[in-house]
Amino acid sequence: MTKRHFSAVLFFVTPFGVLFALFYLVPIIYAVVQSLYTVERKGTFGPATEVFGGLVQYRQVFSDAPFWQSIERVLLFGVVQVPVMLGLALVFALLLDSGLVKGRRFFRLAFFLPYAVPGVVAAIMWGYLYSPNLSPFTAVTATADLLSPTLVLWAMANVVTWIYVGYNMLIIYSALLAVPTEIYEAAKIDGAGAFRTAWSIKIPMVLPAIVLTTVFSIIGTLQLLAEPQVFKSFSSAVSSTYTPNLTVLNASSIPNFHLAAAFSVVLALATFILSFTFLKFTQRKGVQ
């Protein structure tokens, strides 16, 4: 690489590198450093001083039962909600790509439109629909209390699915549009019908897009915050430690920023491990 080419590369890469360092690396390093400190007081009402505590905050994190229960809760949420959401996204993408649906532009926009609604607004809207005293669907809410401790998690899963199906559908649909039409023509000559083409050609061809959306969904599941935060106003079943991010928010509100930083670091590591494990699993299965 010549000096001129190196200067051009540096010119284009530097803005990204600066922003990446300022808004990604620096906050991570700051959170790790903060998690290693603790607050001590001299006497009951003495001034608070920050001292280096090492792994004191992490020992508290690993002994915090509600935090680990919240992780188990969102993992259960993800095991059920993510396959349903991505299954619907795949079906909608295949329908749009099949040519059987008229008005594809309209349906593409209609499927994507819920994603344009802010998550907090969507949670408030669905919360009113679930509330027995406010919902226009009283026949449903009278039969099943969707805000009860048993069902509130799945009520939130419905909100998340409603928001993100269209987003994931567009990713998969874009991958379908990149498949060469010659492959479909060859399959048609061989006598493959629409279902056989979708199952044997289209789905294998878009597996990388499905893997990508799954990784995004794993990360989003562990970061669940807006929906449970709003649903706290509608249901007493949603506590301040219902999800890991709510636990972090609750710790920072005490305030105990050092403990909140430790929670955040552990949650980030758990997210990384799950995402990396899933990617390695798909690579072993031959999905690139």
Side-chain angles (χ1 to χ4, degrees):
M1 181 183 294
T2 65
K3 184 177 180 179
R4 181 180 178 183
H5 289 161
F6 178 78
S7 300
V9 171
L10 190 64
F11 175 78
F12 287 107
V13 171
T14 299
F16 167 79
V18 171
L19 293 175
F20 181 79
L22 286 177
F23 296 102
Y24 190 79
L25 294 181
V26 171
I28 290 176
I29 295 172
Y30 180 75
V32 172
V33 171
Q34 286 295 307
S35 69
L36 298 176
Y37 281 81
T38 187
V39 175
E40 290 186 353
R41 294 180 182 272
K42 292 183 178 180
T44 305
F45 302 103
T49 56
E50 292 186 355
V51 297
F52 183 78
L55 300 178
V56 170
Q57 302 293 356
Y58 289 98
R59 285 198 292 269
Q60 188 170 345
V61 168
F62 284 102
S63 63
D64 191 290
F67 175 69
W68 295 104
Q69 289 171 3
S70 69
I71 288 185
E72 292 176 3
R73 190 176 293 114
V74 295
L75 288 178
L76 175 62
F77 176 97
V79 167
V80 177
Q81 187 269 335
V82 171
V84 171
M85 176 180 65
L86 296 184
L88 289 173
L90 177 62
V91 169
F92 291 157
L94 290 172
L95 285 174
L96 289 177
D97 189 65
S98 66
L100 300 175
V101 178
K102 295 182 179 180
R104 279 186 290 179
R105 291 185 179 180
F106 168 79
F107 284 105
R108 187 169 59 215
L109 177 62
F111 292 147
F112 181 75
L113 192 59
Y115 181 70
V117 179
V120 174
V121 175
I124 293 173
M125 179 186 71
W126 280 97
Y128 278 110
L129 292 176
Y130 292 147
S131 180
N133 299 325
L134 302 171
S135 175
F137 307 106
T138 54
V140 177
T141 56
T143 304
D145 185 3
L146 298 172
L147 299 177
S148 65
T150 306
L151 297 178
V152 68
L153 183 66
W154 310 118
M156 287 188 283
N158 178 65
V159 178
V160 175
T161 302
W162 181 78
I163 294 173
Y164 288 99
V165 161
Y167 169 81
N168 292 298
M169 180 211 68
L170 278 185
I171 296 176
I172 299 172
Y173 181 62
S174 299
L176 284 171
L177 293 178
V179 178
T181 56
E182 292 82 2
I183 297 178
Y184 299 147
E185 293 173 357
K188 188 175 182 180
I189 293 173
D190 290 340
F195 178 82
R196 184 65 178 177
T197 301
W199 182 259
S200 299
I201 298 176
K202 292 185 177 183
I203 293 178
M205 294 292 285
V206 299
L207 277 181
I210 296 175
V211 170
L212 176 66
T213 55
T214 304
V215 172
F216 288 165
S217 300
I218 292 173
I219 296 172
T221 296
L222 289 172
Q223 293 180 348
L224 193 65
L225 177 63
E227 291 78 13
Q229 177 70 5
V230 171
F231 271 60
K232 281 178 62 181
S233 303
F234 295 97
S235 174
S236 59
V238 181
S239 65
S240 58
T241 58
Y242 196 75
T243 66
N245 263 349
L246 273 182
T247 304
V248 174
L249 180 62
N250 182 58
S252 64
S253 301
I254 293 174
N256 191 341
F257 301 113
H258 305 295
L259 179 60
F263 277 130
S264 300
V265 171
V266 172
L267 180 59
L269 288 175
T271 305
F272 170 78
I273 291 171
L274 283 175
S275 302
F276 182 78
T277 302
F278 177 77
L279 286 174
K280 295 299 291 183
F281 174 78
T282 54
Q283 287 177 357
R284 288 184 179 180
K285 295 295 182 179
V287 181
Q288 303 295 329

